[in-house]
Amino acid sequence: MALAAELACLPTFEGATPEQAMEAAVRTGVLDRDQVFKMMSKAYDMIEDANAELMPFFHAKRPQEVHVKETKLGVMFIGEMPTERLAEGAALDLTRVDAPSEKDQ
């Protein structure tokens, strides 16, 4: 209804709804009922066209379902770890874990 009122170039008044503006325009003879219905039809057509154009954007931006896989991590020890000097360009494996000794338990 607001778009139809804008299409009719009707003035807006504070506190008045678009429906009230259209009704006042018909009552005062600025518009007749056929013009109002044509503007309403044109406004709905414009909204449908805009929705059709924007639907791919809205579809791409809809919330996506997220599946969170719960994983438990072990304990991380911070300190020195003996490593072997690697050749230049070789990757250092920090995932090697020695079996815990009885004094660590």
Side-chain angles (χ1 to χ4, degrees), residues 5-100:
E6 285 186 33
L7 288 173
C9 299
L10 296 177
T12 56
F13 300 102
E14 179 118 10
T17 64
E19 291 85 0
Q20 292 169 334
M22 294 292 263
E23 184 180 328
V26 170
R27 208 174 328 110
T28 59
V30 174
L31 296 173
D32 62 23
R33 290 209 180 269
D34 289 337
Q35 289 174 316
V36 171
F37 290 126
K38 286 179 186 175
M39 278 185 244
M40 292 286 294
S41 177
K42 184 176 179 180
Y44 285 124
D45 290 342
M46 289 174 71
I47 291 170
E48 284 180 359
D49 291 343
N51 285 340
E53 290 290 324
L54 296 173
M55 191 55 65
F57 175 76
F58 293 145
H59 181 74
K61 295 297 182 183
R62 74 167 200 246
Q64 299 293 319
E65 188 174 337
V66 177
H67 298 286
V68 178
K69 182 179 172 184
E70 186 175 323
T71 57
K72 294 186 179 186
L73 302 175
V75 178
M76 183 170 126
F77 292 100
I78 299 175
E80 292 184 14
M81 182 173 107
T83 59
E84 301 165 7
R85 183 112 177 135
L86 300 174
E88 188 172 324
L92 177 63
D93 181 17
L94 295 177
T95 59
R96 179 179 53 88
V97 177
D98 296 330

